[in-house]
Amino acid sequence: VDTKGLVLTSLLPHEHRMSVVNMAVRRHPLSGSIPVKSKSRLIFQLGWRRFAASPIFSQHTNGNKHKYERYFRDGAVVMTTFAPITFPPASCLVFQDHNGQLSLLATGSI
């Protein structure tokens, strides 16, 4: 007996729109200490969506002020980019492209 599954999905009313998305992430231990400059092209997996964007980095603090970071540092960092609206809670995986090979750079959530 050969059975095949069928998966159907749909978008919520505003999920086809674009907006500013803030992601709180931490550097993955296996990513090494290669510096990643702000506004460099990265690949994001937010929930079931995968897209490329050039985020800016800022400090993850409790106040209203978030200092811009030039490089992705160890510890908690906020990545901000223009992306499809995704409702929290959603997991976030950040990949870096090395000559066609994707390596995991950071993990976090929206």
Side-chain angles (χ1 to χ4, degrees):
V1 175
D2 186 23
T3 60
K4 295 184 181 183
L6 176 66
V7 178
L8 298 174
T9 63
S10 66
L11 296 176
L12 292 173
H14 297 288
E15 284 187 315
H16 67 282
R17 297 185 182 177
M18 302 288 280
S19 180
V20 174
V21 177
N22 296 313
M23 297 158 275
V25 299
R26 288 190 176 273
R27 191 172 198 121
H28 194 268
L30 299 177
S31 69
S33 60
I34 299 169
V36 178
K37 221 174 171 183
S38 190
K39 300 179 187 174
S40 60
R41 187 174 182 273
L42 300 173
I43 296 152
F44 293 89
Q45 177 85 35
L46 291 180
W48 54 272
R49 290 183 175 178
R50 184 175 282 196
F51 59 91
S54 300
I56 61 169
F57 307 139
S58 60
Q59 290 178 347
H60 186 52
T61 58
N62 290 333
N64 284 339
K65 297 180 182 176
H66 301 286
K67 183 181 172 191
Y68 172 77
E69 296 281 349
R70 290 185 187 188
Y71 292 94
F72 184 38
R73 303 179 189 274
D74 289 337
V77 173
V78 174
M79 289 186 179
T80 303
T81 190
F82 197 67
I85 291 177
T86 306
F87 295 104
S91 61
C92 172
L93 298 175
V94 184
F95 297 95
Q96 195 171 23
D97 189 8
H98 295 290
N99 301 326
Q101 294 279 32
L102 294 181
S103 62
L104 184 60
L105 179 66
T107 59
S109 63
I110 293 181

